[in-house]
PDB file of all heavy atoms in Angstrom:
ATOM      1  N   LYS A 892      28.952 -31.507-103.801  1.00 98.00           N
ATOM      2  CA  LYS A 892      28.432 -30.162-103.607  1.00 98.00           C
ATOM      3  C   LYS A 892      27.029 -30.211-103.020  1.00 98.00           C
ATOM      4  O   LYS A 892      26.218 -31.088-103.341  1.00 98.00           O
ATOM      5  CB  LYS A 892      28.397 -29.395-104.933  1.00 98.00           C
ATOM      6  CG  LYS A 892      27.907 -27.945-104.817  1.00 98.00           C
ATOM      7  CD  LYS A 892      27.823 -27.275-106.186  1.00 98.00           C
ATOM      8  CE  LYS A 892      29.175 -27.108-106.802  1.00 98.00           C
ATOM      9  NZ  LYS A 892      30.032 -26.152-106.049  1.00 98.00           N
ATOM     10  N   LEU A 893      26.714 -29.251-102.148  1.00 98.00           N
ATOM     11  CA  LEU A 893      25.371 -29.083-101.594  1.00 98.00           C
ATOM     12  C   LEU A 893      25.003 -27.610-101.681  1.00 98.00           C
ATOM     13  O   LEU A 893      25.823 -26.743-101.342  1.00 98.00           O
ATOM     14  CB  LEU A 893      25.307 -29.568-100.143  1.00 98.00           C
ATOM     15  CG  LEU A 893      23.930 -29.530 -99.461  1.00 98.00           C
ATOM     16  CD1 LEU A 893      23.800 -30.668 -98.449  1.00 98.00           C
ATOM     17  CD2 LEU A 893      23.664 -28.199 -98.765  1.00 98.00           C
ATOM     18  N   CYS A 894      23.776 -27.341-102.137  1.00 98.00           N
ATOM     19  CA  CYS A 894      23.339 -25.950-102.283  1.00 98.00           C
ATOM     20  C   CYS A 894      21.989 -25.738-101.602  1.00 98.00           C
ATOM     21  O   CYS A 894      21.170 -26.655-101.516  1.00 98.00           O
ATOM     22  CB  CYS A 894      23.220 -25.578-103.760  1.00 98.00           C
ATOM     23  SG  CYS A 894      24.789 -25.617-104.650  1.00 98.00           S
ATOM     24  N   ILE A 895      21.783 -24.532-101.155  1.00 98.00           N
ATOM     25  CA  ILE A 895      20.509 -24.128-100.551  1.00 98.00           C
ATOM     26  C   ILE A 895      20.064 -22.864-101.265  1.00 98.00           C
ATOM     27  O   ILE A 895      20.803 -21.872-101.313  1.00 98.00           O
ATOM     28  CB  ILE A 895      20.669 -23.868 -99.036  1.00 98.00           C
ATOM     29  CG1 ILE A 895      21.122 -25.153 -98.330  1.00 98.00           C
ATOM     30  CG2 ILE A 895      19.366 -23.349 -98.440  1.00 98.00           C
ATOM     31  CD1 ILE A 895      21.538 -24.949 -96.886  1.00 98.00           C
ATOM     32  N   ASP A 896      18.857 -22.907-101.864  1.00 97.00           N
ATOM     33  CA  ASP A 896      18.421 -21.736-102.623  1.00 97.00           C
ATOM     34  C   ASP A 896      17.786 -20.689-101.714  1.00 97.00           C
ATOM     35  O   ASP A 896      17.711 -20.858-100.491  1.00 97.00           O
ATOM     36  CB  ASP A 896      17.502 -22.140-103.786  1.00 97.00           C
ATOM     37  CG  ASP A 896      16.105 -22.583-103.343  1.00 97.00           C
ATOM     38  OD1 ASP A 896      15.750 -22.425-102.150  1.00 97.00           O
ATOM     39  OD2 ASP A 896      15.348 -23.076-104.215  1.00 97.00           O
ATOM     40  N   THR A 897      17.336 -19.600-102.301  1.00 97.00           N
ATOM     41  CA  THR A 897      16.825 -18.475-101.507  1.00 97.00           C
ATOM     42  C   THR A 897      15.605 -18.844-100.669  1.00 97.00           C
ATOM     43  O   THR A 897      15.331 -18.199 -99.657  1.00 97.00           O
ATOM     44  CB  THR A 897      16.460 -17.301-102.437  1.00 97.00           C
ATOM     45  OG1 THR A 897      15.515 -17.758-103.421  1.00 97.00           O
ATOM     46  CG2 THR A 897      17.702 -16.756-103.128  1.00 97.00           C
ATOM     47  N   ASN A 898      14.882 -19.898-101.072  1.00 97.00           N
ATOM     48  CA  ASN A 898      13.692 -20.332-100.330  1.00 97.00           C
ATOM     49  C   ASN A 898      13.973 -21.448 -99.337  1.00 97.00           C
ATOM     50  O   ASN A 898      13.058 -21.933 -98.669  1.00 97.00           O
ATOM     51  CB  ASN A 898      12.610 -20.797-101.321  1.00 97.00           C
ATOM     52  CG  ASN A 898      12.143 -19.686-102.236  1.00 97.00           C
ATOM     53  OD1 ASN A 898      11.878 -18.571-101.780  1.00 97.00           O
ATOM     54  ND2 ASN A 898      12.062 -19.970-103.531  1.00 97.00           N
ATOM     55  N   GLY A 899      15.229 -21.883 -99.269  1.00 97.00           N
ATOM     56  CA  GLY A 899      15.595 -22.930 -98.317  1.00 97.00           C
ATOM     57  C   GLY A 899      15.592 -24.327 -98.905  1.00 97.00           C
ATOM     58  O   GLY A 899      15.853 -25.293 -98.186  1.00 97.00           O
ATOM     59  N   ALA A 900      15.297 -24.461-100.203  1.00 98.00           N
ATOM     60  CA  ALA A 900      15.288 -25.780-100.832  1.00 98.00           C
ATOM     61  C   ALA A 900      16.713 -26.335-100.896  1.00 98.00           C
ATOM     62  O   ALA A 900      17.655 -25.621-101.246  1.00 98.00           O
ATOM     63  CB  ALA A 900      14.686 -25.697-102.225  1.00 98.00           C
ATOM     64  N   ILE A 901      16.862 -27.618-100.566  1.00 98.00           N
ATOM     65  CA  ILE A 901      18.166 -28.277-100.572  1.00 98.00           C
ATOM     66  C   ILE A 901      18.364 -28.945-101.934  1.00 98.00           C
ATOM     67  O   ILE A 901      17.538 -29.751-102.370  1.00 98.00           O
ATOM     68  CB  ILE A 901      18.245 -29.334 -99.455  1.00 98.00           C
ATOM     69  CG1 ILE A 901      17.933 -28.698 -98.090  1.00 98.00           C
ATOM     70  CG2 ILE A 901      19.619 -29.988 -99.439  1.00 98.00           C
ATOM     71  CD1 ILE A 901      17.724 -29.709 -96.980  1.00 98.00           C
ATOM     72  N   LYS A 902      19.460 -28.615-102.594  1.00 98.00           N
ATOM     73  CA  LYS A 902      19.717 -29.126-103.938  1.00 98.00           C
ATOM     74  C   LYS A 902      21.191 -29.493-104.095  1.00 98.00           C
ATOM     75  O   LYS A 902      22.030 -29.091-103.295  1.00 98.00           O
ATOM     76  CB  LYS A 902      19.368 -28.060-104.988  1.00 98.00           C
ATOM     77  CG  LYS A 902      17.916 -27.582-104.952  1.00 98.00           C
ATOM     78  CD  LYS A 902      17.675 -26.531-106.045  1.00 98.00           C
ATOM     79  CE  LYS A 902      16.226 -26.081-106.067  1.00 98.00           C
ATOM     80  NZ  LYS A 902      15.975 -25.118-107.178  1.00 98.00           N
ATOM     81  N   ASN A 903      21.481 -30.260-105.144  1.00 97.00           N
ATOM     82  CA  ASN A 903      22.867 -30.492-105.512  1.00 97.00           C
ATOM     83  C   ASN A 903      23.437 -29.213-106.117  1.00 97.00           C
ATOM     84  O   ASN A 903      24.610 -28.888-105.938  1.00 97.00           O
ATOM     85  CB  ASN A 903      22.960 -31.649-106.499  1.00 97.00           C
ATOM     86  CG  ASN A 903      24.391 -32.006-106.890  1.00 97.00           C
ATOM     87  OD1 ASN A 903      24.628 -32.637-107.901  1.00 97.00           O
ATOM     88  ND2 ASN A 903      25.362 -31.596-106.094  1.00 97.00           N
TER      89      ASN A 903
END
Side-chain angles (χ1 to χ4, degrees):
K892 182 183 294 294
L893 184 148
C894 296
I895 299 170
D896 73 9
T897 56
N898 297 314
I901 304 169
K902 301 180 178 183
N903 183 200

